[in-house]
C-alpha cells in the first residue's frame, strides 16, 4: 500500500489515514461555510414577524456528504488516477481509460431498455408506484437517457470531433421538430406535441441560446481583446429598453429596431471605451462594474421615460417580416394564413429559430473578424499591450472596436429578450447577470466559441433542470425548493471545473496567423488567464 511521509516529522501516513484527516478538514470547512446559509433560514410567522427556522439536519447531511466525497476522492480517487499513468509491465500499455470502462455495451443496452420500459409505462407510473416513487422513476429515466446519449457520443467521438460544427448546427436546427414529434407520439396527437413543446423550446432552447449569444459577445471583449468587463449587462439593458421604448411609443417593427438597438448599444460601448483607454486589469473591471450599475440606476430613477421599477409592458411581438403575425386577433395570424390549428407554440418556435440565427450571425462575424487585421490586433492587445503598441498598432481604436462590437451583440440579445418577454424592468439587468455571463466565458475557455456554447448549455440548462426535481421534496420535505439552490450548485460547478480544467472546457486555441501548418496551441503554453 502506498504511504506518505510528513516532512516535519518522521510519521508515515497511509492513504486511509490521510483520507480521514482531509475528510475531517473538509467537514469543518463545510460546517463553517454553510452554517448560516443552510442551517438557518429566515421566515415569517402568523404575526408577520421575522423568525429563524433551524435546519440542522439538512446542514448535517451536507457536511456528511462533503466529508464522504473528500474521503472517497483521497482514499480511492487519487490512487486510481495515479495508477492510470503507470504502464502495465506485461503488455507495455497504459490501463484502460475511465471513459472506456464507464461506457460499455452491456451498460448501454441496459440504459436503452430502462428508457424504453419507463417511457412505455409513463402514463401509469403514478398508479403503479405512487406519486413519491414515480418521481424517482422519472429521474432514473432521465439519467438513463443521458447515459445512452453520452454512450453514443463516446463510441462515435472521432466522427463527431471531425464534423462537430455541422452536427451541432444540424442538431440545433432539428431540436424543435424532434421535440414536437416525440411529444406528439407520447401524447397521441400533434396538438399535444405542440403544446407540450412550450417548456422545452422556451425554457431550454431559447434561454440557453440567449446566454450563448451574450457570452459570445462578451468573448470579443474579454476572450479576444483581453479587456475585463464586469458591466456587460448594461449593453443588454440598452438593447432591451431601446426596443421596448421605440416599439411601444412609435410602433416600429422589430426588424427595424433590431439593428437600431445594436447600434445604440455599440454607441454606449464606445462611450464606455473612451474613459477606460488607459486602464487595465482590476481598475478596468471596477470602472466597467460602475458603468453597469449606473445604467441600472438610471433605468430605475428616470421614471418619466423608463417607468422606473415598474418597467415597460405591452411590448409588441415579433412578426414574420410583416407577412404573418402571432397575435390571434390579427387577420394575418399565422394559423389563419396557413389554415392550421391555433397554438401558442408557433411563436416560441419562431423565436427559437430567430435567436438561433442571431447566434450563428454572432459566431460568423466573430470568426471572420478574428481572421482580419482588427481581430489579430485584438489578440496582440490581449497578449501584451506594450508590444502591441510598439508594433505600430493603434490601441485606442483597437479597444474601442472591441467594446463597440461586443456591445452591439449585447444590444441584439437585449432587443430579442424584450420581444420574447413582452415586459422589461431593471431587475432583469443586475450585476449577477454580468457575473454569470463572464463565468460562462471563463468556464468555456476564453476565445473558444465551442467551449463557451458548451458551458452555457451545462450551466444554464443545468439550473433549469433543477425545476424538474420535485421528487426531492419526498426526501427533504414539502418546503424544499430545488431551484433556490441553483447558485450554490453553480458555484460548486465553477470550483470543480476550475480545478480540473483551469483553462476552461476547451483549453487550447487555434491562432489566426500560422506558418505552413495550422496547429492548436495547448493551454499550458499560454499566459495564465488568457488560455
Amino acid at each position: 500500500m502506498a504511504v506518505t511521509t510528513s516532512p516535519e516529522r518522521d510519521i508515515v501516513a497511509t492513504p486511509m489515514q490521510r483520507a480521514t484527516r482531509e475528510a475531517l478538514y473538509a467537514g469543518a470547512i463545510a460546517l463553517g461555510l454553510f452554517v448560516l446559509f443552510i442551517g438557518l433560514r429566515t421566515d415569517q410567522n402568523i404575526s408577520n414577524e421575522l423568525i429563524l427556522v433551524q435546519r440542522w439536519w439538512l446542514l448535517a447531511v451536507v457536511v456528511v456528504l462533503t466529508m464522504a466525497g473528500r474521503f472517497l476522492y483521497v482514499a480511492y480517487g487519487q490512487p486510481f488516477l495515479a495508477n492510470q499513468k503507470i504502464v502495465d509491465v506485461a503488455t507495455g500499455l497504459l490501463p484502460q481509460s475511465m471513459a472506456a470502462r464507464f461506457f460499455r455495451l452491456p451498460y448501454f443496452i441496459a440504459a436503452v431498455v430502462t428508457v424504453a420500459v419507463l417511457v412505455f409505462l409513463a402514463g401509469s407510473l403514478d398508479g403503479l408506484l405512487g406519486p413519491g416513487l414515480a418521481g424517482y422513476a422519472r429521474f432514473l429515466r432521465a439519467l438513463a437517457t443521458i447515459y445512452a446519449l453520452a454512450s453514443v457520443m463516446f463510441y462515435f467521438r472521432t466522427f463527431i470531433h471531425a464534423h462537430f460544427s455541422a452536427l451541432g448546427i444540424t442538431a440545433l436546427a432539428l431540436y424543435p421538430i424532434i421535440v414536437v414529434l416525440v411529444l406528439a407520439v407520447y401524447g397521441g396527437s400533434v396538438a399535444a406535441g405542440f403544446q407540450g413543446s412550450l417548456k422545452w423550446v422556451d425554457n431550454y432552447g431559447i434561454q440557453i441560446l440567449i446566454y450563448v449569444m451574450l457570452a459570445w459577445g462578451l468573448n470579443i471583449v474579454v476572450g479576444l481583446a483581453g479587456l475585463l468587463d464586469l458591466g456587460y449587462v448594461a449593453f443588454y439593458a440598452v438593447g432591451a429598453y431601446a426596443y421596448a421604448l421605440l416599439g411601444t411609443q412609435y410602433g416600429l417593427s422589430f426588424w427595424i429596431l433590431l439593428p437600431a438597438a445594436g447600434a445604440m448599444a455599440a454607441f454606449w460601448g464606445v462611450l464606455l471605451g473612451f474613459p477606460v483607454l488607459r486602464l487595465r486589469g482590476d481598475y478596468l473591471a471596477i470602472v466597467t462594474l460602475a458603468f453597469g450599475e449606473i445604467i441600472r440606476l438610471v433605468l430605475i430613477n428616470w421614471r418619466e421615460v423608463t417607468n422606473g421599477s415598474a418597467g415597460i409592458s405591452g411590448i409588441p411581438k415579433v412578426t414574420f417580416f410583416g407577412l404573418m403575425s402571432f397575435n390571434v386577433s390579427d387577420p394575418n395570424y399565422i394559423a389563419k394564413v396557413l389554415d392550421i390549428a391555433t397554438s401558442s407554440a408557433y411563436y416560441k418556435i419562431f423565436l427559437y429559430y430567430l435567436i438561433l440565427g442571431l447566434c450563428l450571425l454572432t459566431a460568423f462575424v466573430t470568426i471572420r473578424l478574428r481572421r482580419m487585421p482588427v481581430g489579430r490586433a485584438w489578440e496582440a492587445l490581449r497578449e501584451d499591450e506594450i508590444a502591441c503598441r510598439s508594433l505600430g498598432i493603434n490601441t485606442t481604436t483597437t479597444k474601442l472596436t472591441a467594446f463597440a462590437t461586443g456591445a452591439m451583440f449585447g444590444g441584439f440579445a437585449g432587443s430579442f429578450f424584450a420581444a420574447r418577454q413582452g415586459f422589461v424592468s431593471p431587475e432583469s439587468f443586475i450585476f449577477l447577470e454580468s457575473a454569470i455571463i463572464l463565468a460562462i466565458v471563463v468556464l468555456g475557455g476564453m476565445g473558444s466559441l465551442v467551449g463557451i456554447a458548451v458551458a452555457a448549455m451545462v450551466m444554464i440548462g443545468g439550473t433549469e433542470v433543477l425545476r424538474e426535481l420535485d421528487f426531492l421534496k419526498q426526501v427533504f420535505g414539502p418546503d424544499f425548493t430545488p431551484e433556490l439552490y441553483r447558485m450554490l450548485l453553480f458555484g460548486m460547478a465553477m470550483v470543480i471545473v476550475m480545478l480540473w480544467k483551469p483553462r476552461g472546457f476547451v483549453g487550447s486555441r487555434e491562432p489566426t496567423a500560422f506558418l505552413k501548418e495550422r496547429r492548436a496551441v495547448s493551454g499550458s503554453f499560454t499566459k495564465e488567464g488568457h488560455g
Side-chain angles (χ1 to χ4, degrees):
M1 180 178 292
V3 296
T4 58
T5 304
S6 174
E8 293 83 5
R9 294 178 298 172
D10 191 15
I11 300 176
V12 178
T14 63
M16 288 297 177
Q17 293 173 338
R18 188 162 58 91
T20 303
R21 183 175 66 250
E22 294 199 16
L24 293 175
Y25 291 157
I29 295 173
L31 178 63
L33 288 176
F34 300 136
V35 64
L36 296 179
F37 291 100
I38 298 178
L40 298 173
R41 181 172 65 90
T42 58
D43 203 348
Q44 288 181 334
N45 59 14
I46 193 171
S47 302
N48 202 25
E49 297 173 341
L50 187 65
I51 60 173
L52 284 178
V53 179
Q54 299 178 359
R55 299 186 298 180
W56 305 123
W57 60 272
L58 183 59
L59 176 64
V61 170
V62 172
V63 172
V64 170
L65 290 177
T66 304
M67 295 176 62
R70 186 61 183 174
F71 179 84
L72 294 175
Y73 174 70
V74 175
Y76 301 102
Q78 287 183 345
F80 175 78
L81 293 176
N83 291 332
Q84 287 295 105
K85 302 178 181 180
I86 301 176
V87 177
D88 190 349
V89 178
T91 62
L93 300 175
L94 289 171
Q96 198 175 26
S97 65
M98 294 178 59
R101 298 179 184 182
F102 185 69
F103 296 112
R104 292 186 175 180
L105 185 59
Y107 302 159
F108 172 72
I109 295 174
V112 172
V113 172
T114 302
V115 172
V117 171
L118 292 178
V119 168
F120 180 75
L121 299 175
S124 57
L125 283 178
D126 291 332
L128 293 175
L129 303 177
L133 293 178
Y136 289 99
R138 294 187 182 95
F139 183 65
L140 176 63
R141 181 182 63 190
L143 291 180
T145 303
I146 294 173
Y147 177 83
L149 293 175
S151 300
V152 172
M153 295 176 65
F154 174 75
Y155 287 121
F156 295 95
R157 59 189 181 277
T158 304
F159 176 79
I160 293 174
H161 180 73
H163 307 85
F164 185 82
S165 298
L167 291 174
I169 295 174
T170 303
L172 290 173
L174 296 178
Y175 173 73
I177 301 174
I178 295 174
V179 169
V180 171
L181 291 178
V182 170
L183 294 177
V185 173
Y186 178 75
S189 65
V190 178
F194 276 107
Q195 195 62 29
S197 67
L198 282 172
K199 177 182 69 175
W200 299 99
V201 174
D202 191 17
N203 294 356
Y204 290 92
I206 297 177
Q207 186 75 3
I208 292 174
L209 288 176
I210 288 177
Y211 279 92
V212 168
M213 185 175 181
L214 288 170
W216 280 350
L218 182 61
N219 178 59
I220 295 176
V221 183
V222 178
L224 298 185
L227 304 171
L228 184 56
D229 187 353
L230 294 181
Y232 189 73
V233 74
F235 309 120
Y236 188 36
V238 168
Y241 270 86
Y243 175 70
L245 291 172
L246 297 177
T248 54
Q249 298 295 327
Y250 300 100
L252 297 177
S253 170
F254 171 82
W255 304 104
I256 297 176
L257 296 180
L258 177 66
M264 190 170 297
F267 172 74
W268 281 100
V270 173
L271 290 183
L272 170 64
F274 272 113
V276 301
L277 287 176
R278 297 181 179 272
L279 300 179
R280 285 182 292 179
D282 300 337
Y283 304 101
L284 174 62
I286 292 172
V287 173
T288 55
L289 172 61
F291 177 77
E293 286 300 298
I294 289 172
I295 293 294
R296 186 180 66 86
L297 292 175
V298 168
L299 295 178
I300 293 175
N301 295 294
W302 199 4
R303 298 183 180 181
E304 295 80 4
V305 177
T306 64
N307 200 25
S309 300
I312 302 174
S313 59
I315 301 174
K317 291 183 177 181
V318 186
T319 63
F320 187 73
F321 301 101
L323 301 176
M324 289 183 290
S325 171
F326 294 93
N327 291 320
V328 181
S329 59
D330 293 344
N332 60 338
Y333 176 57
I334 183 172
K336 299 176 182 178
V337 175
L338 300 179
D339 195 18
I340 54 179
T342 301
S343 176
S344 58
Y346 302 146
Y347 186 56
K348 296 299 181 182
I349 295 175
F350 172 72
L351 289 180
Y352 173 86
Y353 283 110
L354 175 58
I355 187 61
L356 177 61
L358 291 175
C359 286
L360 295 178
L361 175 65
T362 306
F364 175 77
V365 172
T366 303
I367 293 172
R368 296 296 298 175
L369 286 177
R370 286 191 64 182
R371 298 173 181 174
M372 294 174 64
V374 63
R376 295 176 182 176
W378 289 340
E379 293 181 343
L381 179 68
R382 174 189 64 195
E383 301 301 334
D384 195 320
E385 183 175 351
I386 297 176
C388 175
R389 189 180 294 113
S390 67
L391 292 174
I393 297 175
N394 190 335
T395 57
T396 299
T397 57
T398 302
K399 289 183 179 181
L400 292 180
T401 53
F403 275 115
T405 307
M408 178 183 67
F409 291 118
F412 288 161
S415 62
F416 175 84
F417 172 79
R420 173 209 178 194
Q421 296 293 111
F423 170 79
V424 291
S425 66
E427 285 73 19
S428 301
F429 310 105
I430 57 178
F431 167 71
L432 182 61
E433 293 296 319
S434 291
I436 291 175
I437 299 167
L438 180 62
I440 291 173
V441 174
V442 174
L443 293 178
M446 290 190 290
S448 170
L449 296 180
V450 175
I452 291 171
V454 173
M457 182 177 65
V458 172
M459 294 302 173
I460 304 304
T463 55
E464 291 295 328
V465 168
L466 291 176
R467 305 180 190 276
E468 308 298 326
L469 304 182
D470 289 337
F471 71 92
L472 292 178
K473 293 182 179 180
Q474 304 293 329
V475 180
F476 298 106
D479 295 332
F480 181 75
T481 307
E483 56 265 26
L484 295 181
Y485 294 88
R486 64 185 184 278
M487 296 311 300
L488 176 62
L489 298 178
F490 190 86
M492 293 172 59
M494 288 178 61
V495 172
I496 293 172
V497 171
M498 287 296 99
L499 289 176
W500 288 88
K501 300 283 289 184
R503 308 281 175 178
F505 289 140
V506 180
S508 62
R509 67 171 185 267
E510 215 172 70
T512 55
F514 57 92
L515 180 63
K516 294 184 180 178
E517 182 181 357
R518 183 187 297 270
R519 182 177 299 174
V521 179
S522 174
S524 59
F525 293 101
T526 58
K527 186 179 178 182
E528 181 67 33
H530 296 275

